[in-house]
Amino acid sequence: MADWIEILRKQTETGEKMAREVPVILENPHVTEAQVRALFDELDRQAEFVESLRETLEKFDHDFSVIEAAEKLEERFGDLAAAAAEKLKAMRSGG
């Protein structure tokens, strides 16, 4: 059986790292549209994975605090993906 808490812990570490790195990447004047698209795709995959993880934690009746942590992480990846999408939109419109 998978150690869902350990998976959540590792994903949380990744989320914290991405929360620091993504804004720097998006503000880089030399970042390319392809790089932003790849970043968006990865963040979107992460958000989907954490959503599945949250659903699994709920299914196995983990404590509310654990599920809440997964929800916050899911939201973090979603917000980062949205920021990348906005940057991509701006790049495509010439802004």
Side-chain angles (χ1 to χ4, degrees):
M1 183 167 139
D3 184 350
W4 300 113
I5 303 297
E6 180 62 16
I7 293 169
L8 176 59
R9 186 190 67 74
K10 288 181 179 179
Q11 286 297 307
T12 299
E13 287 176 6
T14 299
E16 290 169 358
K17 180 180 175 192
M18 296 302 286
R20 290 187 304 272
E21 293 178 358
V22 167
V24 174
I25 292 167
L26 296 179
E27 292 299 319
N28 183 336
H30 304 292
V31 70
T32 67
E33 188 175 315
Q35 290 169 322
V36 174
R37 179 66 199 189
L39 179 61
F40 169 78
D41 289 343
E42 182 56 33
L43 291 166
D44 193 47
R45 275 192 294 277
Q46 285 290 122
E48 288 175 7
F49 176 79
V50 174
E51 178 182 16
S52 296
L53 176 60
R54 177 190 48 78
E55 291 169 354
T56 299
L57 292 167
E58 289 172 345
K59 180 177 135 185
F60 287 108
D61 289 326
H62 277 274
D63 291 340
F64 177 74
S65 61
V66 172
I67 294 169
E68 186 177 44
E71 287 173 347
K72 287 180 182 178
L73 184 58
E74 182 182 352
E75 186 177 308
R76 172 177 273 170
F77 279 117
D79 290 347
L80 292 170
E86 284 298 316
K87 174 70 174 185
L88 198 56
K89 181 180 174 184
M91 292 174 91
R92 289 179 175 165
S93 69

